[in-house]
mmCIF file of all heavy atoms in Angstrom:
data_model
loop_
_atom_site.group_PDB
_atom_site.id
_atom_site.type_symbol
_atom_site.label_atom_id
_atom_site.label_comp_id
_atom_site.label_asym_id
_atom_site.label_seq_id
_atom_site.Cartn_x
_atom_site.Cartn_y
_atom_site.Cartn_z
ATOM 1 N N ASP V 142 38.335 101.870 48.537
ATOM 2 C CA ASP V 142 36.996 102.335 48.434
ATOM 3 C C ASP V 142 36.027 101.242 48.756
ATOM 4 O O ASP V 142 36.041 100.283 48.105
ATOM 5 C CB ASP V 142 36.759 102.789 47.027
ATOM 6 C CG ASP V 142 35.444 103.526 46.852
ATOM 7 O OD1 ASP V 142 34.695 103.615 47.745
ATOM 8 O OD2 ASP V 142 35.141 103.922 45.614
ATOM 9 N N LEU V 143 35.325 101.409 49.852
ATOM 10 C CA LEU V 143 34.303 100.463 50.294
ATOM 11 C C LEU V 143 32.847 100.795 49.823
ATOM 12 O O LEU V 143 31.876 100.181 50.365
ATOM 13 C CB LEU V 143 34.405 100.292 51.817
ATOM 14 C CG LEU V 143 35.727 99.809 52.425
ATOM 15 C CD1 LEU V 143 35.661 99.779 53.877
ATOM 16 C CD2 LEU V 143 36.140 98.529 51.732
ATOM 17 N N GLY V 144 32.752 101.733 48.995
ATOM 18 C CA GLY V 144 31.377 102.162 48.472
ATOM 19 C C GLY V 144 30.951 103.338 49.195
ATOM 20 O O GLY V 144 30.830 104.404 48.660
ATOM 21 N N VAL V 145 30.665 103.235 50.517
ATOM 22 C CA VAL V 145 30.088 104.331 51.247
ATOM 23 C C VAL V 145 31.277 105.154 51.953
ATOM 24 O O VAL V 145 31.068 106.310 52.389
ATOM 25 C CB VAL V 145 29.159 104.025 52.319
ATOM 26 C CG1 VAL V 145 27.937 103.292 51.754
ATOM 27 C CG2 VAL V 145 29.834 102.843 53.287
ATOM 28 N N THR V 146 32.415 104.632 51.945
ATOM 29 C CA THR V 146 33.597 105.269 52.573
ATOM 30 C C THR V 146 34.872 104.733 52.063
ATOM 31 O O THR V 146 34.876 103.673 51.441
ATOM 32 C CB THR V 146 33.584 105.168 54.114
ATOM 33 O OG1 THR V 146 34.517 106.013 54.712
ATOM 34 C CG2 THR V 146 33.715 103.775 54.515
ATOM 35 N N ARG V 147 35.986 105.420 52.345
ATOM 36 C CA ARG V 147 37.343 105.019 52.056
ATOM 37 C C ARG V 147 37.963 104.557 53.394
ATOM 38 O O ARG V 147 37.784 105.308 54.390
ATOM 39 C CB ARG V 147 38.148 106.010 51.382
ATOM 40 C CG ARG V 147 37.527 106.451 49.964
ATOM 41 C CD ARG V 147 38.582 107.183 49.111
ATOM 42 N NE ARG V 147 39.768 106.475 48.865
ATOM 43 C CZ ARG V 147 39.816 105.700 47.707
ATOM 44 N NH1 ARG V 147 38.774 105.464 46.947
ATOM 45 N NH2 ARG V 147 40.838 104.891 47.412
ATOM 46 N N TYR V 148 38.666 103.515 53.437
ATOM 47 C CA TYR V 148 39.199 102.933 54.613
ATOM 48 C C TYR V 148 40.673 102.576 54.428
ATOM 49 O O TYR V 148 41.001 102.153 53.394
ATOM 50 C CB TYR V 148 38.400 101.642 55.045
ATOM 51 C CG TYR V 148 38.735 101.255 56.531
ATOM 52 C CD1 TYR V 148 38.342 101.987 57.650
ATOM 53 C CD2 TYR V 148 39.396 100.059 56.727
ATOM 54 C CE1 TYR V 148 38.622 101.613 58.890
ATOM 55 C CE2 TYR V 148 39.667 99.612 58.056
ATOM 56 C CZ TYR V 148 39.313 100.415 59.077
ATOM 57 O OH TYR V 148 39.590 99.975 60.353
ATOM 58 N N SER V 149 41.393 102.710 55.581
ATOM 59 C CA SER V 149 42.844 102.449 55.517
ATOM 60 C C SER V 149 43.131 101.047 55.068
ATOM 61 O O SER V 149 42.626 99.983 55.578
ATOM 62 C CB SER V 149 43.407 102.678 56.899
ATOM 63 O OG SER V 149 44.740 102.040 56.975
ATOM 64 N N LEU V 150 43.959 100.891 54.046
ATOM 65 C CA LEU V 150 44.321 99.645 53.461
ATOM 66 C C LEU V 150 45.138 98.845 54.492
ATOM 67 O O LEU V 150 44.914 97.553 54.609
ATOM 68 C CB LEU V 150 45.200 99.817 52.251
ATOM 69 C CG LEU V 150 45.766 98.532 51.492
ATOM 70 C CD1 LEU V 150 44.580 97.562 51.192
ATOM 71 C CD2 LEU V 150 46.600 98.846 50.402
ATOM 72 N N TYR V 151 45.964 99.461 55.419
ATOM 73 C CA TYR V 151 46.772 98.701 56.309
ATOM 74 C C TYR V 151 45.782 98.097 57.438
ATOM 75 O O TYR V 151 45.904 96.990 57.757
ATOM 76 C CB TYR V 151 47.789 99.624 56.975
ATOM 77 C CG TYR V 151 48.636 98.844 57.984
ATOM 78 C CD1 TYR V 151 49.544 97.995 57.590
ATOM 79 C CD2 TYR V 151 48.451 99.112 59.351
ATOM 80 C CE1 TYR V 151 50.345 97.269 58.487
ATOM 81 C CE2 TYR V 151 49.228 98.408 60.275
ATOM 82 C CZ TYR V 151 50.227 97.395 59.821
ATOM 83 O OH TYR V 151 50.953 96.883 60.766
ATOM 84 N N ARG V 152 44.834 98.935 57.855
ATOM 85 C CA ARG V 152 43.914 98.356 58.939
ATOM 86 C C ARG V 152 43.044 97.376 58.355
ATOM 87 O O ARG V 152 42.735 96.330 59.074
ATOM 88 C CB ARG V 152 42.948 99.610 59.386
ATOM 89 C CG ARG V 152 43.730 100.472 60.360
ATOM 90 C CD ARG V 152 42.848 101.548 60.815
ATOM 91 N NE ARG V 152 43.369 102.536 61.801
ATOM 92 C CZ ARG V 152 43.457 102.461 63.055
ATOM 93 N NH1 ARG V 152 42.928 101.363 63.660
ATOM 94 N NH2 ARG V 152 44.095 103.360 63.825
ATOM 95 N N LEU V 153 42.701 97.402 57.088
ATOM 96 C CA LEU V 153 41.976 96.283 56.460
ATOM 97 C C LEU V 153 42.768 95.082 56.273
ATOM 98 O O LEU V 153 42.305 93.926 56.471
ATOM 99 C CB LEU V 153 41.426 96.787 55.005
ATOM 100 C CG LEU V 153 40.228 96.098 54.478
ATOM 101 C CD1 LEU V 153 38.979 96.362 55.353
ATOM 102 C CD2 LEU V 153 39.886 96.586 53.033
ATOM 103 N N ALA V 154 44.075 95.255 56.021
ATOM 104 C CA ALA V 154 45.015 94.062 56.018
ATOM 105 C C ALA V 154 45.012 93.431 57.332
ATOM 106 O O ALA V 154 45.210 92.281 57.472
ATOM 107 C CB ALA V 154 46.319 94.542 55.515
ATOM 108 N N LEU V 155 45.130 94.276 58.461
ATOM 109 C CA LEU V 155 45.215 93.699 59.789
ATOM 110 C C LEU V 155 43.977 92.893 60.016
ATOM 111 O O LEU V 155 44.126 91.790 60.762
ATOM 112 C CB LEU V 155 45.250 94.853 60.774
ATOM 113 C CG LEU V 155 46.560 95.669 60.864
ATOM 114 C CD1 LEU V 155 46.554 96.658 62.054
ATOM 115 C CD2 LEU V 155 47.781 94.768 61.086
ATOM 116 N N ILE V 156 42.849 93.269 59.584
ATOM 117 C CA ILE V 156 41.620 92.490 59.779
ATOM 118 C C ILE V 156 41.847 91.101 59.140
ATOM 119 O O ILE V 156 41.498 90.078 59.668
ATOM 120 C CB ILE V 156 40.338 93.187 59.291
ATOM 121 C CG1 ILE V 156 40.086 94.426 60.139
ATOM 122 C CG2 ILE V 156 39.138 92.240 59.253
ATOM 123 C CD1 ILE V 156 38.976 95.289 59.685
ATOM 124 N N GLY V 157 42.192 91.119 57.846
ATOM 125 C CA GLY V 157 42.391 89.939 57.136
ATOM 126 C C GLY V 157 43.511 88.966 57.737
ATOM 127 O O GLY V 157 43.368 87.803 57.783
ATOM 128 N N PHE V 158 44.511 89.721 58.129
ATOM 129 C CA PHE V 158 45.669 88.885 58.817
ATOM 130 C C PHE V 158 45.294 88.312 60.137
ATOM 131 O O PHE V 158 45.623 87.204 60.372
ATOM 132 C CB PHE V 158 46.854 89.901 59.088
ATOM 133 C CG PHE V 158 48.134 89.187 59.405
ATOM 134 C CD1 PHE V 158 48.932 88.688 58.467
ATOM 135 C CD2 PHE V 158 48.537 89.082 60.778
ATOM 136 C CE1 PHE V 158 50.079 88.039 58.746
ATOM 137 C CE2 PHE V 158 49.748 88.513 61.087
ATOM 138 C CZ PHE V 158 50.541 87.971 60.138
ATOM 139 N N GLY V 159 44.484 89.036 60.963
ATOM 140 C CA GLY V 159 43.961 88.513 62.213
ATOM 141 C C GLY V 159 43.062 87.285 61.951
ATOM 142 O O GLY V 159 43.115 86.260 62.675
ATOM 143 N N ILE V 160 42.188 87.359 60.947
ATOM 144 C CA ILE V 160 41.328 86.218 60.588
ATOM 145 C C ILE V 160 42.172 85.004 60.134
ATOM 146 O O ILE V 160 41.915 83.884 60.565
ATOM 147 C CB ILE V 160 40.276 86.594 59.521
ATOM 148 C CG1 ILE V 160 39.438 87.733 60.081
ATOM 149 C CG2 ILE V 160 39.534 85.391 59.000
ATOM 150 C CD1 ILE V 160 38.417 88.326 59.065
ATOM 151 N N ALA V 161 43.154 85.250 59.305
ATOM 152 C CA ALA V 161 43.971 84.166 58.872
ATOM 153 C C ALA V 161 44.808 83.417 60.008
ATOM 154 O O ALA V 161 44.828 82.221 60.035
ATOM 155 C CB ALA V 161 45.048 84.701 57.771
ATOM 156 N N VAL V 162 45.285 84.242 60.975
ATOM 157 C CA VAL V 162 45.913 83.705 62.032
ATOM 158 C C VAL V 162 45.044 82.940 62.946
ATOM 159 O O VAL V 162 45.338 81.853 63.371
ATOM 160 C CB VAL V 162 46.655 84.807 62.871
ATOM 161 C CG1 VAL V 162 47.170 84.225 64.256
ATOM 162 C CG2 VAL V 162 47.876 85.468 62.060
ATOM 163 N N ALA V 163 43.825 83.427 63.174
ATOM 164 C CA ALA V 163 42.807 82.749 63.968
ATOM 165 C C ALA V 163 42.525 81.383 63.299
ATOM 166 O O ALA V 163 42.320 80.381 64.031
ATOM 167 C CB ALA V 163 41.514 83.618 64.046
ATOM 168 N N VAL V 164 42.245 81.312 61.977
ATOM 169 C CA VAL V 164 42.039 80.057 61.276
ATOM 170 C C VAL V 164 43.243 79.097 61.402
ATOM 171 O O VAL V 164 43.018 77.905 61.684
ATOM 172 C CB VAL V 164 41.755 80.228 59.779
ATOM 173 C CG1 VAL V 164 41.680 79.032 58.987
ATOM 174 C CG2 VAL V 164 40.381 81.086 59.691
ATOM 175 N N GLY V 165 44.446 79.613 61.274
ATOM 176 C CA GLY V 165 45.629 78.880 61.306
ATOM 177 C C GLY V 165 45.810 78.287 62.776
ATOM 178 O O GLY V 165 46.135 77.172 62.909
ATOM 179 N N LEU V 166 45.525 79.057 63.826
ATOM 180 C CA LEU V 166 45.547 78.665 65.134
ATOM 181 C C LEU V 166 44.499 77.492 65.443
ATOM 182 O O LEU V 166 44.822 76.503 66.126
ATOM 183 C CB LEU V 166 45.454 79.874 66.176
ATOM 184 C CG LEU V 166 45.645 79.596 67.616
ATOM 185 C CD1 LEU V 166 47.070 79.037 67.875
ATOM 186 C CD2 LEU V 166 45.364 80.813 68.396
ATOM 187 N N TRP V 167 43.337 77.759 64.941
ATOM 188 C CA TRP V 167 42.319 76.715 65.004
ATOM 189 C C TRP V 167 42.774 75.456 64.425
ATOM 190 O O TRP V 167 42.595 74.264 64.991
ATOM 191 C CB TRP V 167 40.946 77.112 64.484
ATOM 192 C CG TRP V 167 39.914 76.032 64.572
ATOM 193 C CD1 TRP V 167 39.189 75.691 65.589
ATOM 194 C CD2 TRP V 167 39.537 75.251 63.462
ATOM 195 N NE1 TRP V 167 38.281 74.652 65.257
ATOM 196 C CE2 TRP V 167 38.542 74.311 64.008
ATOM 197 C CE3 TRP V 167 39.914 75.058 62.181
ATOM 198 C CZ2 TRP V 167 37.940 73.379 63.203
ATOM 199 C CZ3 TRP V 167 39.373 74.076 61.363
ATOM 200 C CH2 TRP V 167 38.413 73.161 61.831
ATOM 201 N N LEU V 168 43.264 75.451 63.171
ATOM 202 C CA LEU V 168 43.777 74.267 62.537
ATOM 203 C C LEU V 168 44.889 73.605 63.355
ATOM 204 O O LEU V 168 44.899 72.322 63.503
ATOM 205 C CB LEU V 168 44.290 74.510 61.113
ATOM 206 C CG LEU V 168 43.231 74.944 60.087
ATOM 207 C CD1 LEU V 168 43.879 75.460 58.803
ATOM 208 C CD2 LEU V 168 42.265 73.827 59.898
#
Side-chain angles (χ1 to χ4, degrees):
D142 187 359
L143 298 180
V145 296
T146 187
R147 299 192 66 84
Y148 190 67
S149 164
L150 177 58
Y151 183 72
R152 285 182 180 268
L153 205 60
L155 289 186
I156 293 174
F158 193 81
I160 292 172
V162 172
V164 172
L166 188 59
W167 176 80
L168 290 173

